[in-house]
Amino acid sequence: MTKPLLEVQDLEVTFATDEGFVRAVDGVSFTVMPEQTLGVVGESGSGKSVTFLAIMGLLDRGNVRVSGRVLFKGTDLLALSEKEWRAYRAERIGMIFQDSLTGLNPVQRVGNQIAEVEIAHRSGTVDASRPWVRHKKAKGNAVELLRSVGVADPESRARQWPHQFSGGMRQRAMIAMAMSLGPELLIADEPTTALDVTVQAQILELIDDLKRRCGSAVVLITHDLGVVAEHCHDVMVMYAGKSVESGESDEIFARLGHPYTRALLRSMGRLDQPKPRRLETIGGQPPSLARLPTGCAFHPRCPFAMPICRVEPPPLQGTVQGHHFTCHVAGGVAKESDPSVSSVTISMPSSSGDVIESSAETILMKARGLTKYFSVRQGGLKKSATLRAVDGIDLDVRRGRNLGTRGRVGLREIFIGSSAHATPRTDGRIARIQWCGHSRERSSGVKARTSRDTNGLSGSLRIPKSSKDGRLNYCGTLKSSQCASQA
Amino acid sequence: MSDLEGMSQNIRESQLPGESDGSFNMSAESVFPLNTSEHEPEFSSNKSLSGRQVAWRRFKSHRLAMISLIFLVLLVIVVSFANLIAPYGYQVQNLHQLLKGPSLAHWMGTDNLGRDEFSRLLYAGRISLLVGLTVSLSSGIIGTLVGAIAGYYGRWIDNLLMRVTDLFLTVPLLVVLIIGSTLLSGGVLGIIIILSLFFWMYAARIVRGVFMSLKEQEFVESARSIGSSHLRIIVLQILPNAFGPILVCMTLGVAQAILTESSLSFLGFGIQPPTPSWGNMLNDAQDYFQSAPWLLLAPGIAILLTVLAVNFVGDGLRDALDPMQTPHRLKSQVPEAMAEIEGGYDEATA
Amino acid sequence: MLRLIGKRLLFSIPVILIASGVVFVVVHRVVNPTAYLALNPRSSAANTQRLTAALGLNKPLLEQYFVWLRHFFVGDWGTSLISGQAVARSVGTALVNSLILGGTALVIALVIGMAVGTISAYRQYSAFDNMATGMAFLGLSIPTAFLGLLLQLLFGVYLVQHLHLNGPLLYISGMSDPGSTSFSFSSLLRHLALPAFVVAVQILGVYSRYTRSSMLDVLKTDYIRTAKSKGLSSTRILFRHGLRNSMIPLTTQVALDAGVLVGGLIVTEQVFQWPGMGTYFITAMNNGDYPQILAWLMVTVTAVILFNLLADILYAFLDPRIRYV
């Protein structure tokens, strides 16, 4: 049996906040094997990011307390001094973050930022040549790194600034930075959440590719089970600061386990299955870490909750070797019966807003020829370009059905009624629209004046012909924190 | 300090580094909290403290701010009842007691006309405080108006208003005040007006920042989609979020206004004698600073302490309203307290 | 980038022109050049009329404006009503003196302020930080006149008395010894010390707080976290990433302040009788010296506009996001 690369034992992270001391990570233990990928899944606030920030020693020592053991090839990272820790960062463990725009220094050229890693770590080494020679070499290596992560024309790109890169390219640059010294472990904290769906797949492919080439292990932190299914050998599911289920991903998706995992799986739409009547969501909201429920943290939202769940913390159960979960329900709860994992893959939409569902029912709203053009200012004296975000699409919304749209922004503006070009024709009384907008990628050199979508806004809106349209009713605004990717 | 008119005081503590060219774009969110409590996801076991309670608690923990607040309250009370407390009128001259040092009869001595310094100090305090407060209030209102319109409507309105704001910001303050006061012939009201005309820019910038960062958010879009008029959105939705920053700005504005008025009056262009203000008392002291230093110390220290107190209160307010800072109290106790919670935490949640 | 500078420079010209118009109108309304004549009991109404005609004040406003403007751009700024001296020269001297005072104070305040601010941010809430914050507040809150007068008292009276000195260690008035003809650098320094200190003390507080808050913000950013995750040393992070980013807004602010400085040190100069733009203005205002005030305002306004321009250019230079849109 190979020795684990990273072994975390009973990690606890506590923050001092206004509302008292909050335990963001509560006794989490897991291992990462060499050259394997571990997926860490959880909602916002589950503690998944904090866990790895603590492992890297990136938490502010002032108001945070970390305890437990983090053994990287036998050495306890938490016992290291700051200086020793620095030797581990980037050289042996690399990390990339979610937001690549804020994650890169805006006033430093991208190439220099990548080269900086090598310069900082290798300055005291055998290579006793002059500093500028080393710097030159490092910059050359940076260009090559950019090439290897798939950035076209790396020589000129390396001399550009982060804001001139597109979102996907920036993330590639971040990956290049993290991998430049060939670390044995790469921690990727939601690397694709802020990216367009098309780019997501490319980035994940890139990570897989680099993993193979460098022989690194990868930790992929995400809230997207589809990603986990595609790319991860092992999975750990976190909830409210605890690890509630862990094991090999095949096992997790197939067999019995924690109700939370089951709920996550069920809330994903499946293209290969007949469409269910409604999408399942997990009722309620993640608990505030300052006021956790008693007993099992998940019990308020758990469809299988029993009286004991409210009282006692759930015990650890292990079914097949390596597959553990904490639950009172003996033997766990059944997951989706279909074991074929690959059908959970998300489909890629085409360029502008696609309409993905309809059937024969009473049509509430018919929209024909919806267009939304944005006038985009280009720098300097160039005339405005026209961005055709939505170019003449037709939509039917039927009573009682949900219409999902995927794609770039543009449709959203139409439904808010702020569009200058679109005139949807409306018939009927109540329109209920649910959609998921995704944030638009910024292509270099062009600034769009669009507003930023958050993932998964759903709302019920009126579509007023004029603002005093009495025929349509307002149904209130809902907000869901996650959009389950679906059809 | 306002001698350095328009200088770094422009920055004000309440501003944060942002782009300082014409298209000012500060994200107020990074500075001040948003009152989005009605839009937060609800936690299963709620009862989190309301924003105001949290803010008050944090303010209380800022000791200097609390002391300053108490001091200011006392000061306002004393000064308001000056006519009851002051032993003499501010114009009463005792020609036998010219330029006498502090004594039992005259706690802070007398000036060159035999007037009691202490009484003058109290009456002058009225004027200076009045000016400070009114200027801050009125300029705050003007600034909020300008900032809200600029931030909300954007584009050319924003551009225009910001250019105007920048214009006002870059004129040397004392110079225009001197010229202005010559035009308006310095009664107290005139001074207040002219000062307000040049103090609104700070509030405007801050409010504009808040509006720009909030107007694209979902709750505004939802409100618009249900047909709320722009006015409703501005006043009911976005503006409440700006109250915090505006309050801090206005508090610091009081300090600024008092200093500016004192400089102006010191130069002879502000409040004109015989109306006493701390500023023109400094002016009077100038000629006699060798022979009668108490004449200098009394108004000088009064201004210093008052402005200092106001600044501390403003700083405390700002700390209290900023969600991203750890309160001083908690921070210093963290290492010990952290050790205590080992093992004790579970009982709390049971 | 060059295009940016050119555009802004070009744009400044109409601004200055408009400003000149505003200045002219305002001064015309505010200043009555014949006032001092009227106060003189020995002067007759005829004198006043003659002066008015000589100054061209009975012509229509617009004509006066253009006459003045024409002269102004050629360099003929008129002569002082009181002293008869060429205004251009006297304003020029005053300008230089103010720049000396202001420049020195600015540099001191900047260097110390940045250092203090950076350390304060790095060691937030430490004793140093608290002390620095306290001092900054003190500097912000003290009235200029008070501080100046106090120092005059201290150095001009008490120290001389108690230490039995011949003359004050640091001079409390003027820019040079009256009666001395040669230029002495040490004399200049001794005269400069106190007023520069007064000015510096106040801006220092602001700059250090500004640096501190700017630095704190920068230290919280994601890219600092990325830098840490790259295993960079704290020094490297602090300087290359932290300071480099937090200095951008400060630098532009300093440029703006410098512009205001030109007309700005009125109270300090009055207290210490420093022959700069501040005292010049006060004297001119009190005398109703029309040409002097006009020239003074034009210089001040132009300085402000030019320094604004400098600030914008500096900002574009330092922040590549502006340079390459």
Side-chain angles (χ1 to χ4, degrees):
Chain A
M1 204 174 73
T2 41
K3 291 188 68 174
L5 182 65
L6 179 71
E7 216 181 312
V8 175
Q9 296 167 357
D10 276 325
L11 184 67
E12 280 179 16
V13 179
T14 319
F15 286 93
T17 69
D18 272 337
E19 304 179 12
F21 295 103
V22 166
R23 197 166 281 186
V25 179
D26 195 0
V28 168
S29 306
F30 60 92
T31 54
V32 181
M33 305 302 280
E35 303 192 33
Q36 299 282 337
T37 306
L38 169 70
V40 179
V41 185
E43 291 166 296
S44 318
S46 55
K48 51 192 202 297
S49 293
V50 176
T51 308
F52 292 93
L53 286 176
I55 290 175
M56 288 283 279
L58 291 177
L59 293 173
D60 171 22
R61 304 254 183 140
N63 52 346
V64 177
R65 170 70 164 257
V66 178
S67 70
R69 293 176 75 197
V70 176
L71 298 174
F72 186 79
K73 283 179 130 171
T75 318
D76 186 3
L77 294 181
L78 295 181
L80 293 178
S81 71
E82 180 65 21
K83 199 164 164 200
E84 293 164 341
W85 220 324
R86 254 184 269 142
Y88 275 81
R89 294 187 198 135
E91 274 198 77
R92 315 195 59 187
I93 313 180
M95 189 159 180
I96 61 176
F97 303 95
Q98 176 176 347
D99 192 343
S100 57
L101 180 56
T102 59
L104 289 172
N105 189 340
V107 303
Q108 197 181 11
R109 296 183 208 256
V110 177
N112 289 351
Q113 294 191 47
I114 301 178
E116 200 178 16
V117 186
E118 191 180 332
I119 294 174
H121 282 261
R122 297 282 155 86
S123 43
T125 57
V126 188
D127 189 357
S129 48
R130 305 292 171 82
W132 53 90
V133 175
R134 262 185 284 126
H135 283 215
K136 230 178 135 187
K137 217 162 77 126
K139 288 195 191 161
N141 287 343
V143 172
E144 286 314 307
L145 273 167
L146 276 178
R147 199 191 310 274
S148 70
V149 294
V151 171
D153 193 11
E155 289 87 6
S156 47
R157 284 293 185 182
R159 286 206 313 272
Q160 288 187 337
W161 278 274
H163 70 276
Q164 293 172 291
F165 277 36
S166 72
M169 283 166 65
R170 275 195 299 268
Q171 198 60 282
R172 291 175 198 269
M174 290 260 285
I175 294 175
M177 263 190 340
M179 299 295 287
S180 76
L181 297 178
E184 296 157 72
L185 173 65
L186 175 69
I187 303 175
D189 190 353
E190 305 217 40
T192 53
T193 311
L195 298 175
D196 227 14
V197 171
T198 34
V199 185
Q200 273 185 27
Q202 294 170 8
I203 297 294
L204 290 169
E205 286 278 325
L206 174 65
I207 294 180
D208 278 344
D209 186 42
L210 284 175
K211 185 183 95 170
R212 272 193 299 271
R213 275 197 267 154
C214 304
S216 335
V218 173
V219 172
L220 204 52
I221 305 174
T222 176
H223 59 261
D224 188 342
L225 276 177
V227 164
V228 167
E230 276 278 299
H231 299 272
C232 303
H233 306 98
D234 303 307
V235 182
M236 176 170 73
V237 181
M238 287 186 68
Y239 187 82
K242 299 189 177 61
S243 162
V244 296
E245 185 159 1
S246 62
E248 291 182 25
S249 64
D250 293 342
E251 288 288 323
I252 301 263
F253 285 109
R255 302 227 189 284
L256 313 173
H258 197 278
Y260 178 58
T261 320
R262 175 184 183 274
L264 280 179
L265 280 172
R266 301 271 299 225
S267 68
M268 295 174 56
R270 302 270 297 267
L271 285 180
D272 61 322
Q273 304 265 321
K275 296 185 191 57
R277 187 91 184 106
R278 336 164 60 107
L279 288 173
E280 275 193 47
T281 56
I282 311 177
Q285 296 282 346
S288 153
L289 291 173
R291 271 170 302 281
L292 287 172
T294 54
C296 170
F298 187 58
H299 83 257
R301 306 166 75 190
C302 181
F304 302 93
M306 307 183 297
I308 191 177
C309 298
R310 201 180 311 151
V311 175
E312 275 187 34
L316 184 65
Q317 297 190 41
T319 53
V320 182
Q321 182 189 36
H323 182 186
H324 301 282
F325 59 96
T326 56
C327 187
H328 283 289
V329 177
V333 295
K335 305 238 182 14
E336 290 286 283
S337 46
D338 188 341
S340 86
V341 164
S342 59
S343 61
V344 185
T345 315
I346 317 296
S347 67
M348 301 303 145
S350 57
S351 53
S352 57
D354 273 5
V355 173
I356 309 175
E357 110 138 45
S358 65
S359 75
E361 282 234 10
T362 326
I363 296 182
L364 283 178
M365 186 190 93
K366 250 202 221 156
R368 297 284 175 266
L370 287 178
T371 45
K372 176 70 175 171
Y373 293 170
F374 290 103
S375 180
V376 167
R377 264 179 294 138
Q378 314 204 35
L381 301 171
K382 299 196 209 137
K383 278 171 48 154
S384 316
T386 316
L387 176 71
R388 300 183 183 199
V390 182
D391 205 358
I393 67 169
D394 300 337
L395 281 178
D396 289 337
V397 181
R398 294 154 206 280
R399 176 189 299 282
R401 307 290 272 172
N402 293 341
L403 172 70
T405 67
R406 293 184 71 131
R408 311 262 170 99
V409 82
L411 277 180
R412 195 161 161 275
E413 272 70 24
I414 291 180
F415 291 121
I416 303 287
S418 62
S419 150
H421 299 281
T423 351
R425 277 178 297 211
T426 60
D427 308 299
R429 315 208 55 163
I430 303 172
R432 244 180 142 220
I433 302 168
Q434 188 172 17
W435 77 91
C436 298
H438 285 265
S439 49
R440 182 183 177 277
E441 244 192 74
R442 253 170 80 145
S443 27
S444 64
V446 169
K447 259 206 248 182
R449 274 189 295 123
T450 61
S451 48
R452 224 167 23 126
D453 293 271
T454 49
N455 237 349
L457 170 70
S458 74
S460 305
L461 299 171
R462 276 172 41 163
I463 311 219
K465 279 212 274 208
S466 67
S467 59
K468 304 276 200 294
D469 192 337
R471 257 195 294 157
L472 303 176
N473 293 329
Y474 171 60
C475 306
T477 317
L478 310 169
K479 207 166 147 174
S480 71
S481 54
Q482 232 92 40
C483 167
S485 25
Q486 86 299 39
Chain B
M1 188 271 130
S2 46
D3 165 34
L4 307 161
E5 57 255 33
M7 221 156 146
S8 323
Q9 277 293 30
N10 277 347
I11 305 169
R12 296 293 198 77
E13 300 306 315
S14 45
Q15 281 180 30
L16 266 204
E19 301 157 30
S20 52
D21 62 353
S23 56
F24 188 73
N25 184 17
M26 177 183 76
S27 79
E29 289 168 286
S30 65
V31 184
F32 295 110
L34 300 181
N35 176 27
T36 52
S37 46
E38 72 263 31
H39 305 287
E40 291 271 284
E42 282 148 44
F43 292 113
S44 46
S45 38
N46 33 36
K47 272 252 303 188
S48 63
L49 301 171
S50 82
R52 224 178 277 163
Q53 287 173 297
V54 173
W56 178 237
R57 251 200 348 186
R58 300 178 71 158
F59 187 83
K60 274 201 291 192
S61 74
H62 195 295
R63 246 169 301 168
L64 267 179
M66 282 305 288
I67 299 177
S68 302
L69 188 62
I70 297 174
F71 169 77
L72 286 175
V73 169
L74 287 174
L75 180 67
V76 169
I77 294 178
V78 165
V79 155
S80 310
F81 293 104
N83 44 1
L84 295 179
I85 301 179
Y88 306 85
Y90 65 86
Q91 294 212 54
V92 172
Q93 302 182 9
N94 185 345
L95 295 171
H96 296 289
Q97 300 270 356
L98 300 178
L99 292 180
K100 290 287 195 240
S103 62
L104 273 178
H106 297 274
W107 292 354
M108 293 192 185
T110 58
D111 67 358
N112 58 320
L113 293 180
R115 298 179 289 196
D116 177 40
E117 192 75 351
F118 177 63
S119 312
R120 296 206 80 213
L121 199 68
L122 290 184
Y123 281 103
R126 271 193 191 176
I127 304 292
S128 295
L129 283 180
L130 181 69
V131 170
L133 284 168
T134 11
V135 166
S136 176
L137 197 65
S138 53
S139 63
I141 294 176
I142 300 175
T144 306
L145 266 168
V146 172
I149 295 177
Y152 187 76
Y153 286 105
R155 277 175 264 171
W156 67 268
I157 294 187
D158 176 40
N159 228 333
L160 178 69
L161 284 176
M162 277 305 107
R163 289 269 164 238
V164 169
T165 311
D166 282 343
L167 188 72
F168 272 76
L169 273 173
T170 53
V171 292
L173 187 63
L174 265 189
V175 173
V176 295
L177 287 180
I178 290 176
I179 296 182
S181 71
T182 322
L183 268 174
L184 282 174
S185 74
V188 177
L189 187 61
I191 299 296
I192 292 180
I193 292 177
I194 194 79
L195 276 174
S196 309
L197 278 181
F198 290 95
F199 264 81
W200 56 267
M201 302 81 77
Y202 313 103
R205 286 225 279 202
I206 292 178
V207 171
R208 174 186 180 272
V210 172
F211 270 76
M212 295 208 73
S213 67
L214 288 189
K215 74 171 174 179
E216 300 291 351
Q217 293 222 355
E218 294 127 23
F219 65 94
V220 169
E221 294 203 10
S222 333
R224 251 193 287 161
S225 72
I226 61 167
S228 291
S229 70
H230 288 302
L231 189 62
R232 272 181 81 88
I233 296 181
I234 292 179
V235 173
L236 292 182
Q237 299 276 352
I238 309 185
L239 200 57
N241 291 300
F243 281 157
I246 295 179
L247 186 62
V248 175
C249 180
M250 290 215 290
T251 310
L252 296 172
V254 172
Q256 249 330 76
I258 296 179
L259 280 176
T260 312
E261 180 273 318
S262 74
S263 284
L264 201 59
S265 305
F266 171 76
L267 291 172
F269 290 95
I271 310 281
Q272 301 292 337
T275 318
S277 91
W278 286 338
N280 61 27
M281 282 174 75
L282 272 180
N283 190 4
D284 293 337
Q286 196 181 19
D287 295 323
Y288 304 99
F289 78 93
Q290 283 202 26
S291 45
W294 55 88
L295 290 182
L296 171 65
L297 289 174
I301 294 185
I303 301 176
L304 175 60
L305 286 181
T306 310
V307 172
L308 204 56
V310 174
N311 274 331
F312 279 135
V313 169
D315 195 50
L317 272 177
R318 199 203 8 231
D319 277 354
L321 296 172
D322 180 352
M324 300 207 302
Q325 288 198 22
T326 324
H328 302 226
R329 174 181 51 95
L330 261 187
K331 220 171 168 72
S332 59
Q333 296 170 9
V334 155
E336 305 79 26
M338 290 286 210
E340 279 176 26
I341 65 170
E342 309 284 60
Y345 188 72
D346 296 318
E347 279 120 46
T349 56
Chain C
M1 166 80 164
L2 236 60
R3 199 186 303 169
L4 187 77
I5 301 179
K7 220 173 30 153
R8 300 305 285 268
L9 207 59
L10 221 60
F11 192 67
S12 306
I13 295 181
V15 176
I16 297 183
L17 276 176
I18 298 177
S20 73
V22 172
V23 159
F24 194 84
V25 170
V26 168
V27 172
H28 197 260
R29 274 234 57 202
V30 168
V31 178
N32 186 354
T34 57
Y36 78 97
L37 265 190
L39 286 176
N40 186 344
R42 289 206 224 127
S43 165
S44 64
N47 271 344
T48 313
Q49 273 183 0
R50 257 193 291 153
L51 183 61
T52 313
L55 290 177
L57 289 175
N58 42 9
K59 300 213 187 92
L61 192 63
L62 209 57
E63 192 180 329
Q64 289 186 48
Y65 172 63
F66 281 113
V67 167
W68 168 74
L69 199 64
R70 216 180 342 124
H71 284 260
F72 191 82
F73 275 111
V74 174
D76 175 14
W77 291 2
T79 57
S80 158
L81 291 179
I82 308 299
S83 64
Q85 276 189 340
V87 169
R89 176 173 234 160
S90 51
V91 169
T93 318
L95 181 64
V96 169
N97 293 343
S98 272
L99 286 178
I100 294 177
L101 178 59
T104 316
L106 203 61
V107 168
I108 297 175
L110 196 59
V111 168
I112 300 182
M114 265 180 26
V116 170
T118 310
I119 302 178
S120 294
Y122 195 57
R123 303 244 165 268
Q124 204 184 3
Y125 301 129
S126 67
F128 179 89
D129 183 27
N130 288 333
M131 235 182 32
T133 308
M135 303 288 312
F137 269 100
L138 203 63
L140 285 179
S141 312
I142 197 164
T144 318
F146 182 52
L147 182 62
L149 289 171
L150 264 185
L151 285 174
Q152 282 188 323
L153 200 60
L154 183 67
F155 281 89
V157 179
Y158 289 144
L159 277 191
V160 174
Q161 280 180 356
H162 292 270
L163 298 182
H164 307 291
L165 298 171
N166 277 344
L169 266 178
L170 297 174
Y171 290 110
I172 63 173
S173 180
M175 194 169 149
S176 54
D177 282 326
S180 74
T181 42
S182 59
F183 173 75
S184 157
F185 194 61
S186 74
S187 163
L188 176 65
L189 281 183
R190 286 168 72 186
H191 278 101
L192 184 59
L194 285 180
F197 177 78
V198 169
V199 177
V201 155
Q202 295 173 3
I203 5 176
L204 205 150
V206 179
Y207 283 170
S208 82
R209 293 281 290 175
Y210 198 68
T211 310
R212 176 185 183 272
S213 85
S214 174
M215 195 61 153
L216 280 177
D217 272 341
V218 167
L219 288 178
K220 279 195 213 137
T221 56
D222 285 346
Y223 56 84
I224 293 291
R225 187 180 58 177
T226 308
K228 275 203 267 182
S229 80
K230 294 199 295 198
L232 304 178
S233 68
S234 325
T235 339
R236 202 192 166 91
I237 295 181
L238 197 63
F239 284 105
R240 272 235 74 186
H241 293 266
L243 204 58
R244 175 77 171 83
N245 277 273
S246 56
M247 256 179 47
I248 297 178
L250 183 67
T251 319
T252 48
Q253 186 63 44
V254 169
L256 288 174
D257 284 345
V260 180
L261 205 74
V262 168
L265 305 171
I266 300 186
V267 175
T268 312
E269 288 184 8
Q270 276 288 92
V271 168
F272 287 97
Q273 283 300 297
W274 183 270
M277 294 285 277
T279 41
Y280 193 90
F281 180 65
I282 298 289
T283 321
M285 278 297 279
N286 283 333
N287 290 338
D289 202 334
Y290 202 63
Q292 282 191 333
I293 299 177
L294 273 175
W296 190 94
L297 281 173
M298 281 308 292
V299 169
T300 315
V301 165
T302 310
V304 165
I305 292 176
L306 284 180
F307 273 98
N308 259 24
L309 182 62
L310 181 67
D312 282 338
I313 294 176
L314 215 58
Y315 190 62
F317 181 67
L318 291 174
D319 189 340
R321 284 172 290 187
I322 305 293
R323 246 193 291 168
Y324 304 95
V325 175

